[in-house]
Amino acid sequence: SHFFVKLLEQKGLLLRHYTQNIDCLERTAGIDPELIVEAHGSFHTAHCIGRKCRQEYSQAWVKEHIFRDEIPRCSSCDSLVKPDITFFGEGLPSRFFELLVEDFARCDLLIVMGTSLLVQPFASIIDHVGPHVPRLLINRMRVGESKAPGAGFDFDGRFDKSLHRDAFVAGDSDEACALFAGHLGWIDELVELRASHIAKQGLDLAK
């Protein structure tokens, strides 16, 4: 599914990719970081927690210390070094709020994949697109459904039978993306994109 998003980018169809994931898989798939909004941060960078220091460290630096079973500490002030991920109770990155209004005003198709849509404020961003913008949920189960008009998905037209803009595809995101790529005539491109990227990374294609 991450390579499907990358394919959308290559075809000039990706306005932005918003994610709650902190595992950097979007970056691993080669998606332009400028098109990614990591709403809950990520392990891509880390910072010293010292208020007067805040020195930045790379993912590789943190990983090296963790694999040596060492607590990452700042080389400048000896404070702890924390990955740039958002814990419960912490504010979301400013980039999330800076781009949200502009991006969702321009969005003409919203695709939502692999989420519980339970954690706010991320869960409610599906309501920020225009009232006539189609919204597609690809997930193992139906989530984020309306409890009131204008709030959440309305797959069954409970609140507005004249406007049926929400669709649900049940199942695995990877399989669904491959299916869509097939219908769009992109399946060969998707397979080649995944294979070439994995080859560059020196990974086992079967994984």
Side-chain angles (χ1 to χ4, degrees):
S1 55
H2 294 87
F3 291 109
F4 181 75
V5 177
K6 175 62 179 178
L7 189 57
L8 291 176
E9 176 197 340
Q10 289 184 342
K11 292 183 175 295
L13 298 173
L14 181 66
L15 174 60
R16 200 84 61 189
H17 179 70
Y18 284 73
T19 179
Q20 294 174 279
N21 296 332
I22 61 175
D23 52 19
C24 300
L25 287 179
E26 292 82 10
R27 294 172 182 266
T28 302
I31 299 170
D32 184 349
E34 285 299 312
L35 297 179
I36 303 172
V37 174
E38 293 160 323
H40 293 164
S42 78
F43 283 100
H44 182 65
T45 54
H47 281 83
C48 167
I49 65 172
R51 292 185 179 181
K52 295 183 178 180
C53 182
R54 299 296 296 163
Q55 183 167 321
E56 182 175 309
Y57 292 88
S58 68
Q59 181 182 15
W61 185 92
V62 174
K63 186 176 180 179
E64 179 182 345
H65 282 73
I66 295 297
F67 280 18
R68 290 203 306 251
D69 203 24
E70 299 174 355
I71 297 175
R73 288 191 173 276
C74 180
S75 58
S76 297
C77 71
D78 201 41
S79 295
L80 295 174
V81 173
K82 170 186 172 292
D84 293 336
I85 58 176
T86 304
F87 292 134
F88 282 100
E90 293 183 331
L92 270 58
S94 58
R95 177 174 166 80
F96 172 80
F97 297 102
E98 291 167 358
L99 293 174
L100 180 64
V101 175
E102 176 185 346
D103 286 346
F104 279 66
R106 296 173 56 197
C107 176
D108 56 14
L109 170 63
L110 180 67
I111 302 176
V112 182
M113 294 189 285
T115 178
S116 64
L117 283 183
L118 291 176
V119 180
Q120 296 291 353
F122 192 91
S124 61
I125 66 174
I126 62 173
D127 299 320
H128 284 254
V129 295
H132 298 284
V133 173
R135 303 183 298 187
L136 171 65
L137 173 65
I138 303 171
N139 214 36
R140 294 185 184 278
M141 61 185 70
R142 287 166 57 146
V143 296
E145 294 192 69
S146 302
K147 295 183 179 178
F153 291 119
D154 186 11
F155 300 116
D156 304 316
R158 294 177 5 186
F159 296 107
D160 188 351
K161 296 188 181 300
S162 66
L163 177 65
H164 192 75
R165 63 166 177 157
D166 295 331
F168 171 58
V169 175
D172 179 82
S173 295
D174 290 342
E175 294 176 358
C177 286
L179 179 65
F180 284 126
H183 284 302
L184 291 165
W186 299 349
I187 191 63
D188 290 340
E189 294 173 83
L190 180 61
V191 171
E192 173 58 27
L193 176 64
R194 178 178 181 271
S196 63
H197 188 79
I198 290 177
K200 288 178 183 178
Q201 299 295 319
L203 302 175
D204 183 351
L205 187 59
K207 291 182 179 180

